[in-house]
Amino acid sequence: MTPTEPLLRDAPAAGAVRPPLPVKMVIAGGFGVGKTTAVGAISEIEPLTTEASITEVAAGVDDLTHTPHKTTTTVAMDFGCVTVDPTLKLYLFGTPGQERFGFMWDDIVEGAVGGLVIVDTRRLDDCYAAVDYFEHKGIPFAVAVNAFDGRVEHTLEEIRWALDVSDGVPVVVFDARERGSVRDALLVVLELALARTEA
């Protein structure tokens, strides 16, 4: 049994080939946590990005303390896709990280089965808005702690406590640069969505 069978309600006719079921998933988080990197690492197509140069004005608004080499930022969304298995294709939408672009979230998230909230443990407060958004909307999500420089600053239980997320919200460590690591984090979200359809 594939992990997507509970989503498939109508069996194809004998011998018929059914295209993969399209499923929308959102990758969210604060400024500079690795959303664009994660989409680029996993996408089987050249990802669509809406990167713009960080201007002096933006640099005065966005905290570049922990990302001093960051020269661009997402101003609308990132988009990519990955085929999980012959029955399922994930369409990935990355949100902009700055609060001033929050008005776009409802459109980006509409129709999504779940979300992956990426956090940087050096600045957990940057992801509170994303966590609150998914909780308020009732959308299943997981927290993915990006291991910058190969390490995290706090234990997963400390991170769970700091974010005040329930035990039903998975908290995992991943590397946004590694395809396999991003895949594993997305599968955690997919399992949550599947569990919701079976409930």
Side-chain angles (χ1 to χ4, degrees), residues 88-140:
L88 179 79
K89 189 167 191 171
L90 288 182
Y91 289 87
L92 307 171
F93 291 78
T95 64
Q98 303 93 326
E99 288 189 28
R100 64 183 177 276
F101 296 123
F103 66 91
M104 302 175 65
W105 277 48
D106 284 344
D107 290 331
I108 293 173
V109 172
E110 184 177 359
V113 299
L116 185 69
V117 176
I118 301 178
V119 304
D120 178 350
T121 55
R122 300 169 299 181
R123 46 199 176 98
L124 284 175
D125 55 336
D126 286 357
C127 73
Y128 291 155
V131 169
D132 289 345
Y133 183 90
F134 286 108
E135 287 180 336
H136 177 72
K137 292 289 186 179
I139 298 171

Side-chain angles (χ1 to χ4, degrees), residues 60-74:
V61 176
D62 300 319
D63 183 3
L64 299 175
T65 305
H66 295 288
T67 55
H69 303 296
K70 187 171 176 62
T71 59
T72 62
T73 185
T74 301

Side-chain angles (χ1 to χ4, degrees), residues 145-166:
V145 182
N146 198 359
F148 284 91
D149 301 321
R151 63 191 178 90
V152 295
E153 298 290 325
H154 307 283
T155 68
L156 295 186
E157 282 310 308
E158 289 172 335
I159 294 167
R160 179 183 298 284
W161 178 85
L163 297 179
D164 193 27
V165 293
S166 72

Side-chain angles (χ1 to χ4, degrees), residues 174-189:
F174 91 131
D175 187 331
R177 302 166 299 178
E178 296 292 331
R179 179 181 177 85
S181 187
V182 175
R183 178 204 60 217
D184 292 346
L186 293 173
L187 288 177
V188 169
V189 179

